[in-house]
Amino acid sequence: MKLLILNGPNLNLLGLREPEIYGSATYHDLLALIQSTAQTLGLEATVYQSNHEGDLIDQIQAARGVYDGIVFNPAAYTHTSVALLDALLAVRIPTVEVHLSDLSQREAFRQISYIRPACIATFTGLGIRGYQRGMEFLWRYLLRSGDCLLYT
Ligand code: CA2
């Protein structure tokens, strides 16, 4: 099983500011958690971060036939990007939306997620543990649905 973990703008700076909102874990901590979760579940995880919307769209398009599932934190593009929604709807790869912070407790403009209609689940407000929960959720979902393209 192969999962693509996609991160949007500024998430590479995780740990450098606003720990009260995003937690104190660094981006390096996040990468380590993703790889240890992948090892535990016996799957392969590839992480990609970009500050550019078009890059993220390219990655989603290229994921077709390669990845079984996507864990996606589009960061600020969550609240603006119909293009990311369209890319996810086009490739139809099971996708889990993840946010470090609890969006329901934040500004009105963060209450809208354009990508949510294309996602099978959302984890929000769990810090970097949300990525682990998202990977576990996809792992179970893919094994149950029999939709896994690649077994290792
Ligand atoms: O809570 C989340 O994961 C967000 O997707 C993070 C985005 C924000 O725009 C969304 O509304 C919610 C911000 C990403 C910036 O990440 C940093 C976090 C800490 C330090 C530097 C960057």
Side-chain angles (χ1 to χ4, degrees):
M1 190 185 292
K2 286 177 77 169
L3 300 186
L4 175 63
I5 319 299
L6 262 188
N7 281 318
N10 299 309
L11 283 166
N12 54 316
L13 301 179
L14 188 60
L16 297 188
R17 65 170 172 87
E18 299 176 287
E20 66 289 355
I21 298 174
Y22 297 112
S24 54
T26 64
Y27 194 65
H28 185 265
D29 295 332
L30 173 61
L31 298 181
L33 177 64
I34 289 167
Q35 290 312 327
S36 73
T37 303
Q39 201 170 8
T40 304
L41 297 176
L43 56 81
E44 195 181 317
T46 302
V47 186
Y48 186 85
Q49 187 275 331
S50 177
N51 295 326
H52 307 280
E53 188 176 11
D55 267 357
L56 295 165
I57 293 167
D58 288 345
Q59 288 299 313
I60 292 167
Q61 291 187 7
R64 238 178 106 233
V66 178
Y67 292 99
D68 301 293
I70 300 174
V71 173
F72 194 12
N73 184 348
Y77 290 140
T78 307
H79 320 299
T80 63
S81 182
V82 177
L84 286 171
L85 169 66
D86 286 343
L88 292 172
L89 291 173
V91 299
R92 300 177 64 192
I93 298 171
T95 298
V96 171
E97 176 186 14
V98 170
H99 297 285
L100 298 155
S101 60
D102 183 356
L103 294 180
S104 71
Q105 301 302 309
R106 300 192 65 192
E107 303 95 322
F109 66 85
R110 295 188 207 269
Q111 304 305 315
I112 291 169
S113 166
Y114 280 98
I115 69 149
R116 195 156 302 166
C119 295
I120 57 169
T122 300
F123 292 93
T124 174
L126 302 173
I128 64 171
R129 290 278 157 201
Y131 288 78
Q132 180 175 26
R133 295 281 302 278
M135 291 172 73
E136 290 165 353
F137 185 95
L138 267 174
W139 178 78
R140 251 179 246 118
Y141 175 90
L142 290 166
L143 288 181
R144 270 198 207 133
S145 70
D147 267 355
C148 185
L149 293 171
L150 308 153
Y151 291 93
T152 52

